[in-house]
Amino acid sequence: MTDRIESTPLPLAGVRVVELSSFVAAPLCGMTLAQLGAEVIRVDPLRGGPDYDRWPVTSEGTSIYWTGLNKGKRSVTVDLKSAAGQQLVRRLIVESGPSGGIVLTNTAGREWLSYESLVRERPDLIHLEIHGRADRSTGVDYTVNAATGFPYVTGPTAHAGPVNHALPVWDVTCGLYAALALVSAVRRREATGQGTSATLALENVALATAGNLGFLTEAQVNGTSRERIGNDVYGQYGHDFESRDGNRFMVVALTARHFRDLADVTGTSGTIAGIEESLEADFDREADRYRYRQVLHGLFGDWFARHTSAEVTVALASTSVLFERYRSFDELATDARVTANPMFRMLDQPGIGEYLATGLPVAFDGRHPAAAPAPIGGGDTSAVLVDRLGLSESDVAALGDAGTVRTSPPLPSRRQDQP
């Protein structure tokens, strides 16, 4: 059974994508497609894109960020300002076989790379262009986020100003929407022979999420804006508590059973029954649990403060209560959730060394597709041009001599130090 699973082709095996991108959303899309089995050829300028040595970096200057988002791809470096370089990229797109002809980019405004220009040479072209804003102007995750309202409901309740998120959530969500869009376009082409011109705005990803989760609808229908509630869970009972030894736990009671179990394990059931009677409340109802959460925080918080984190973990683990202790990244890196997780495999990444790298979160037939190393910038230029365009080694050498492509050595880092 294991041999059959390991030999089963991944869902996108044979699909070929040419990616011209930088930063998070588009590279994440390309990496996701690569982990699903597609051949993704990342094309960069001769000295690399603007994110090639983005922090964090190793002591030698290799970008941990760049390698993390480009695992499993092939790398070609081309003089994208020259007509010869542009023509090479166009050929990689239009001459890539029946499962090729797919472009992923967030570099808008290049006529030679546009759908209108390329579709004349490849009628079944699939072309996805990611923009910052819906009007196709520039925007990044943190500027888009500033305009969505989320910074005013993030952070401590007593804080007056906006609080940015640490996770570039719109970039990540956009990258996954982009992967879904390209897979959908491939499915349509296989069924009808028709290509696709698709655009995806980072701003629209954020606005769609705000609408789908009710933040915008609440303001439109009820005329109210969501309040800032710190680490509470809106409309439910959830809060963070500190144990006797200084660790913090996030505790969530989504159902009446969760809440009653939390009351039982903390020895507060009798007190809570009295509070329900005096307030004419029913804590089987999530609205009442949320409405009177401050009273409940005090009751439960006392129990947490009297118990160590080990005691809290043992006690809550025997109940239906949803909980987790807060962990830092350095602690998580050595936790069994990583070290014993089959999604992680040891990867020998040039420029970084061996580390546990994430494969695809989805498991197919019980197995997570494993991560492959990110390329060295330009390391696949010669092989790709020979394999995909039929050029000879001497042809590639001549292109290198003319400065149209770069095949070696690896790009030197432009910025090695970090805080």
Side-chain angles (χ1 to χ4, degrees), residues 66-358:
W66 192 90
T67 55
L69 283 170
N70 290 286
K71 295 189 292 289
K73 301 177 186 178
R74 306 180 79 181
S75 173
V76 172
T77 47
V78 179
D79 179 6
L80 298 176
K81 295 181 179 179
S82 72
Q86 294 169 8
Q87 184 57 27
L88 273 179
V89 177
R90 290 171 63 89
R91 288 188 61 192
L92 282 174
I93 296 166
V94 302
E95 298 177 21
S96 51
S99 293
I102 303 172
V103 183
L104 164 64
T105 186
N106 64 346
T107 57
R110 297 179 176 181
E111 194 281 331
W112 64 270
L113 189 62
S114 69
Y115 173 81
E116 292 75 15
S117 175
L118 289 165
V119 76
R120 290 194 290 267
E121 298 182 44
R122 174 126 191 186
D124 67 346
L125 178 74
I126 294 173
H127 189 285
L128 173 61
E129 194 169 86
I130 296 176
H131 303 282
R133 292 190 170 90
D135 64 2
R136 301 197 177 193
S137 61
T138 303
V140 296
D141 185 285
Y142 295 97
T143 60
V144 165
N145 188 59
T148 63
F150 284 99
Y152 282 110
V153 298
T154 303
T157 56
H159 186 79
V163 175
N164 287 339
H165 52 209
L167 172 70
V169 63
W170 309 127
D171 272 334
V172 172
T173 310
C174 183
L176 298 178
Y177 266 118
L180 175 63
L182 285 178
V183 170
S184 300
V186 169
R187 172 67 183 91
R188 182 168 76 167
R189 187 171 67 180
E190 290 173 344
T192 68
Q194 181 180 348
T196 299
S197 172
T199 58
L200 176 62
L202 188 68
E203 178 182 57
N204 280 348
V205 170
L207 293 174
T209 304
N212 293 338
L213 295 180
F215 289 91
L216 293 180
T217 311
E218 180 182 8
Q220 293 168 347
V221 175
N222 295 339
T224 59
S225 186
R226 189 71 57 88
E227 59 184 334
R228 175 174 273 153
I229 57 174
N231 286 342
D232 290 348
V233 178
Y234 180 75
Q236 301 281 352
Y237 186 75
H239 191 61
D240 65 307
F241 298 98
E242 185 172 358
S243 63
R244 191 177 76 195
D245 50 355
N247 286 307
R248 300 196 73 87
F249 288 80
M250 185 64 198
V251 178
V252 180
L254 293 179
T255 68
R257 181 192 174 193
H258 294 157
F259 184 80
R260 296 301 173 185
D261 278 2
L262 180 58
D264 288 343
V265 78
T266 57
T268 58
S269 296
T271 303
I272 285 174
I275 293 173
E276 284 181 302
E277 183 177 356
S278 65
L279 295 176
E280 297 183 350
D282 178 3
F283 290 142
D284 282 350
R285 296 198 298 258
E286 60 185 25
D288 283 356
R289 296 195 295 270
Y290 180 74
R291 184 175 295 114
Y292 298 110
R293 65 190 183 280
Q294 296 298 338
V295 176
L296 298 171
H297 292 346
L299 286 178
F300 298 141
D302 179 67
W303 180 85
F304 280 87
R306 290 185 284 106
H307 292 80
T308 66
S309 55
E311 292 169 340
V312 168
T313 300
V314 170
L316 294 183
S318 65
T319 72
S320 67
V321 178
L322 307 169
F323 76 99
E324 186 54 82
R325 180 171 64 82
Y326 285 88
R327 288 172 168 79
S328 62
F329 286 121
D330 57 346
E331 182 181 8
L332 181 61
T334 58
D335 188 90
R337 288 171 174 80
V338 172
T339 60
N341 189 330
M343 180 180 68
F344 288 83
R345 309 275 184 87
M346 288 302 298
L347 182 69
D348 189 1
Q349 173 62 53
I352 292 180
E354 289 192 346
Y355 73 101
L356 278 172
T358 55

